[in-house]
Amino acid sequence: MQVAEWVKSIADKRGDAEYEIVDLADYNLPMYAEPISAAYSQDYKTPEAIPWSQKIAELDGYVFVCPEYNHGVTSALKNAIDYLYVEWNNKAAGIVSYGSSGGVRAAESLRIILAELQVASVRAHPAMSLFTDFVKMSEFKPADVHEGSVTTLLDQVNAWTNAFEPLRNK
């Protein structure tokens, strides 16, 4: 949550869009067990999927804060993404990652997942190292250089989000 709060603090200074943190823990999604893929039906049987669907549908773009575990995205993130399909379509996303290698493998994996959902991920990619941007791998203390890359990411996400507006509102 430290990384997400830091990204939001940078975003809130901009005044060009509304930003909020959407914490997966607040949705308590069980392991995916829908009988039909969300690509074919939004008649969700899992009660927790309904508020998750509503939240993701109301947002126009995303910045994923993505830690890396075992060279990939967390199971909680993958599970949450898999619950939905149309709610993600025709939107832009940025990825801020962290891990022992900056979380870059998780970010690349997430890009592939998002592409299937018709989410365009932007090029800018702040990647924080557990060794240099965290004290004892737990207290987030980012290097100053990262703020500029977050700003670039937000510029790109906002531009692409605006460009995709006609697709979302057709």
Side-chain angles (χ1 to χ4, degrees), residues 69-117:
Y69 290 95
N70 299 322
H71 291 209
V73 299
T74 65
S75 57
L77 178 57
K78 180 67 166 83
N79 186 58
I81 290 170
D82 286 347
Y83 261 96
L84 309 175
Y85 182 76
V86 298
E87 296 88 343
W88 298 113
N89 294 173
N90 300 314
K91 297 179 181 178
I95 301 169
V96 176
S97 65
Y98 61 95
S100 60
S101 296
V104 296
R105 295 170 295 216
E108 290 307 308
S109 174
L110 182 54
R111 287 181 195 284
I112 293 167
I113 294 164
L114 294 175
E116 175 59 25
L117 299 169

Side-chain angles (χ1 to χ4, degrees), residues 1-3 98 128-143:
M1 188 60 89
Q2 296 174 72
V3 178
Y98 61 95
M128 270 64 75
S129 169
L130 288 176
F131 302 112
T132 59
D133 295 301
F134 290 80
V135 176
K136 297 183 181 178
M137 295 192 181
S138 62
E139 182 184 352
F140 185 53
K141 298 284 186 188

